Amino acid sequence: MSKVQPSIQATFTKDLDDSFEIPMEEGDWYELQNFEVAYAFGVTRVTRYRHQINLSDSSIIFKIPPLSFCHYYRFQTFENIQRGLAHPKFSIDIFGAMVAVGDIEEAEIENHSLYFSLVNMEYEHINCVAYGEVALFLDNYWNSTNAPIVLCVLQFWEIDWGVGGFKHVKTIDGFSRILFEPDDVPEIQYFRMRIPYYAY
């Protein structure tokens, strides 16, 4: 069993991100200096840690050599999500094969929505809804691929509860992402190995 890495949320504005000479990339390692630690009061949080790092104009970021390997995902099982064992306050990562993708809905020009389902290795389905830019990105990818099976990671998605229980998982505006066929995620590699060769 792999050791769970401790994690803390860090928040800074896009203007501050653009001011750094070295763009920050996911998977790279950085040293932070001159930052503030504050309580995490957000309605939806990234980690269960009670504090978060806030960066300012005086903060300094250095890129450093990797200290260890970590793919940064904390995947939730479909059962935990649907039974309420994963708290809706904390955003989640899940992975699976994409199926039953609907047509994009344009109720508002800036609020596109797209309903789809994921299936896990046990053939359990979970309903998902993408909004805005993520919906457009998903729609473009789905209409451009010829792959019979599409594996993906939903990163930083929110659990939406309806009357009587679980409703679906959905995007958080400006925050959630969807990654198609990521090669560096062991769970995706294992899932792909279990798919019959003729499906690919």
Side-chain angles (χ1 to χ4, degrees), residues 69 71 73 75 95 153 179 182-190:
F69 171 77
H71 58 71
Y73 301 112
F75 292 120
F95 72 96
V153 170
L179 308 176
D183 292 329
D184 59 343
V185 179
E187 290 85 351
I188 289 290
Q189 296 173 0
Y190 179 65

Side-chain angles (χ1 to χ4, degrees), residues 7 45-51 76 85-88 90:
S7 57
R45 290 161 53 185
V46 181
T47 76
R48 294 182 180 275
Y49 197 63
R50 295 182 179 181
H51 296 81
Q76 289 289 339
L85 301 180
H87 200 290
F90 301 95

Side-chain angles (χ1 to χ4, degrees), residues 136-151:
L136 292 172
F137 176 69
L138 167 56
D139 187 60
N140 290 335
Y141 184 91
W142 186 256
N143 291 322
S144 65
T145 182
N146 295 320
I149 297 177
V150 175
L151 303 183

